Amino acid sequence: MNKFWPLLFVTILALATWTTHYVQMTSASAGKPLATFETLSGDEAHLHDVILEGSFVNRSSYARLVVENGEVYPRTQPFLTSSHLQVFEDLKKQHRSFMRGKMNNTNQFYMHNDTIAYVNSMGEQGATHIDMTFDVKGAHNTSFTVDIPIDEKISWTTTYRLTLQGEAAYVLVNVMLENGKEVLYGIELNIPEKQLVSAKKLVEVMDEGELDYFISFISESYTMQHEDYFVYVEGQYKHQYNEGDSYTHSEEVHVWNTLTNTEAVFELPERLQAEERRIVTKGKLLLINIIRDGNIVTERYDLDAQKWLEPIVVNVSSDIYAQPYFSVTTSEQYMYTSIMTDEGTMLAIIDPNTGNTVYTGMLNESLSIFYAMEQQ
């Protein structure tokens, strides 16, 4: 019996520590804010309509926080629940039967008007096929599974995105093969017929010698909404250890238009092949955020017109610090960009469609923002 006492003691101590930490967060949220943004430009009312979730970089007492009405408070949601996961809790209440057994992964869901859909791609290690299960509720109410043949043995699979166009469902699935090859598949399903229409290889890469290859999928932040475009980057880079572990690389951007079921490819300009950058999509725009000449620059590519638009430049008056704390996220209307400087964290709220920066503010704390949602 004595051997269980140390384990019991550690368990009680861990529970007490977590309980104290959670009570501190809840108590602090009822009092004064931890910090407040100082407006530099624009209308601070833009901070009143959104909840930003993030974490302090140099403060360990609060694991997460939210920004409401320009003031920073500890997160008051249940332990291990973030704002974007709360969306799934709401869905489970509204669609209890449909949500049963489904993963909390926004990439696997689609929501538009009165339609909600879900896809799950399972490829067991060593298998040469994928079992894809599709469920939809709304204009179509159906559930079915299709078998997708793969040429070689699978190591694992990842579902990147799902969207619907009329009676068709389009899915991006990344497949890692046992031989080290990585293949991105574009899947088309016929919903009424419950059939696989096509499974085409969009990109296929494999490391060769000194060259490393990668596939990177680009999307809006935590979105389940309708998207006409799937955007992904195919790149290669070569390590140059004799030059301080720097590397050079080339990148191609692939755009799959699900409206027309066609694909376009263009080379990413060298000026945008920065080591520290943040790329998101927003509707018909591809947004590439980099630090250039001490300022935040957002390069915009119109996926409809297939051309570059005028970049958005946010002037930063103080020196920019560690770029790993350069974060970009999108909400329904805006893009939120934060960067750490020698004076604190600067936040810029940008309307990517008009190119206007509607707000900038400074927080005298090191804050990393990773999620944004409109207040209901």
Side-chain angles (χ1 to χ4, degrees), residues 103-228:
M103 300 179 64
N104 294 345
N105 182 356
T106 53
N107 288 347
Q108 295 176 244
F109 280 86
Y110 169 88
M111 292 180 62
H112 185 64
N113 296 331
D114 296 327
T115 297
I116 178 172
Y118 174 84
V119 68
N120 190 37
S121 306
M122 294 293 295
E124 295 184 4
Q125 186 169 0
T128 55
H129 67 95
I130 296 174
D131 291 324
M132 177 172 286
T133 302
F134 177 78
D135 296 308
V136 62
K137 176 182 178 183
H140 301 279
N141 290 284
T142 188
S143 177
F144 60 91
T145 300
V146 296
D147 183 86
I148 302 172
I150 303 297
D151 294 340
E152 300 171 81
K153 290 184 178 181
I154 296 170
S155 181
W156 47 261
T157 65
T158 303
T159 302
Y160 274 158
R161 185 59 82 213
L162 163 69
T163 198
L164 273 61
Q165 297 283 6
E167 296 183 343
Y170 295 95
V171 190
L172 271 184
V173 179
N174 197 49
V175 180
M176 182 63 71
L177 302 176
E178 287 189 347
N179 60 11
K181 190 179 298 182
E182 185 177 3
V183 185
L184 185 65
Y185 279 86
I187 311 297
E188 182 183 356
L189 305 175
N190 184 302
I191 301 173
E193 299 294 330
K194 301 183 181 182
Q195 291 181 350
L196 171 68
V197 176
S198 63
K200 57 183 178 181
K201 294 181 180 180
L202 301 174
V203 181
E204 184 175 344
V205 299
M206 186 173 182
D207 294 345
E208 297 178 1
E210 296 180 340
L211 291 178
D212 291 332
Y213 291 81
F214 65 90
I215 301 172
S216 178
F217 178 70
I218 311 299
S219 69
E220 293 192 35
S221 306
Y222 298 108
T223 186
M224 303 181 195
Q225 301 303 313
H226 180 86
E227 293 179 295
D228 290 331

Side-chain angles (χ1 to χ4, degrees), residues 19 39 51 65 70 73 80 112 118 133 135 201 227 260 266 331 343 372:
T19 303
T39 298
I51 295 176
L65 52 93
Y73 293 91
L80 294 181
H112 185 64
Y118 174 84
T133 302
D135 296 308
K201 294 181 180 180
E227 293 179 295
T260 60
F266 64 92
S331 67
E343 295 180 1

Side-chain angles (χ1 to χ4, degrees), residues 31-324:
K32 294 181 179 180
L34 300 175
T36 303
F37 277 98
E38 176 188 350
T39 298
L40 300 178
S41 66
D43 186 354
E44 65 180 17
H46 289 289
L47 282 176
H48 301 175
D49 300 327
V50 71
I51 295 176
L52 304 177
E53 187 173 340
S55 61
F56 283 124
V57 176
N58 299 320
R59 186 192 291 207
S60 59
S61 57
Y62 300 104
R64 285 183 180 170
L65 52 93
V66 294
V67 179
E68 296 186 67
N69 299 333
E71 297 178 333
V72 182
Y73 293 91
R75 189 195 64 160
T76 57
Q77 295 157 303
F79 185 55
L80 294 181
T81 301
S82 60
S83 298
H84 79 277
L85 292 179
Q86 185 61 42
V87 174
F88 291 104
E89 296 303 314
D90 296 338
L91 284 174
K92 289 173 183 177
K93 293 177 182 177
Q94 299 168 17
H95 309 279
R96 184 177 302 275
S97 177
F98 180 86
M99 293 296 294
R100 188 173 293 115
K102 292 178 171 56
M103 300 179 64
N104 294 345
N105 182 356
T106 53
N107 288 347
Q108 295 176 244
F109 280 86
Y110 169 88
M111 292 180 62
H112 185 64
N113 296 331
D114 296 327
T115 297
I116 178 172
Y118 174 84
V119 68
N120 190 37
S121 306
M122 294 293 295
E124 295 184 4
Q125 186 169 0
T128 55
H129 67 95
I130 296 174
D131 291 324
M132 177 172 286
T133 302
F134 177 78
D135 296 308
V136 62
K137 176 182 178 183
H140 301 279
N141 290 284
T142 188
S143 177
F144 60 91
T145 300
V146 296
D147 183 86
I148 302 172
I150 303 297
D151 294 340
E152 300 171 81
K153 290 184 178 181
I154 296 170
S155 181
W156 47 261
T157 65
T158 303
T159 302
Y160 274 158
R161 185 59 82 213
L162 163 69
T163 198
L164 273 61
Q165 297 283 6
E167 296 183 343
Y170 295 95
V171 190
L172 271 184
V173 179
N174 197 49
V175 180
M176 182 63 71
L177 302 176
E178 287 189 347
N179 60 11
K181 190 179 298 182
E182 185 177 3
V183 185
L184 185 65
Y185 279 86
I187 311 297
E188 182 183 356
L189 305 175
N190 184 302
I191 301 173
E193 299 294 330
K194 301 183 181 182
Q195 291 181 350
L196 171 68
V197 176
S198 63
K200 57 183 178 181
K201 294 181 180 180
L202 301 174
V203 181
E204 184 175 344
V205 299
M206 186 173 182
D207 294 345
E208 297 178 1
E210 296 180 340
L211 291 178
D212 291 332
Y213 291 81
F214 65 90
I215 301 172
S216 178
F217 178 70
I218 311 299
S219 69
E220 293 192 35
S221 306
Y222 298 108
T223 186
M224 303 181 195
Q225 301 303 313
H226 180 86
E227 293 179 295
D228 290 331
Y229 298 98
F230 289 152
V231 182
Y232 40 97
V233 176
E234 175 189 5
Q236 63 178 356
Y237 60 93
K238 178 181 179 180
H239 286 283
Q240 297 174 317
Y241 296 103
N242 60 336
E243 298 183 14
D245 200 25
S246 62
Y247 60 85
T248 58
H249 60 273
S250 62
E251 295 173 307
E252 286 185 339
V253 179
H254 298 248
V255 182
W256 182 12
N257 185 336
T258 60
L259 276 170
T260 60
N261 199 12
T262 57
E263 186 182 14
V265 182
F266 64 92
E267 189 82 19
L268 195 66
E270 187 175 346
R271 71 178 186 277
L272 299 178
Q273 296 180 19
E275 184 174 356
E276 286 297 338
R277 67 181 182 195
R278 306 294 181 264
I279 310 179
V280 294
T281 57
K282 185 64 184 164
K284 67 173 185 177
L285 294 176
L286 173 67
L287 305 168
I288 303 178
N289 302 270
I290 61 174
I291 305 301
R292 182 186 297 157
D293 299 327
N295 297 315
I296 302 171
V297 179
T298 302
E299 296 267 6
R300 300 179 296 162
Y301 184 83
D302 188 318
L303 299 171
D304 270 348
Q306 299 185 16
K307 67 177 183 180
W308 292 98
L309 306 177
E310 283 294 318
I312 303 169
V313 179
V314 178
N315 296 317
V316 183
S317 58
S318 49
D319 292 335
I320 294 175
Y321 274 179
Q323 291 187 23

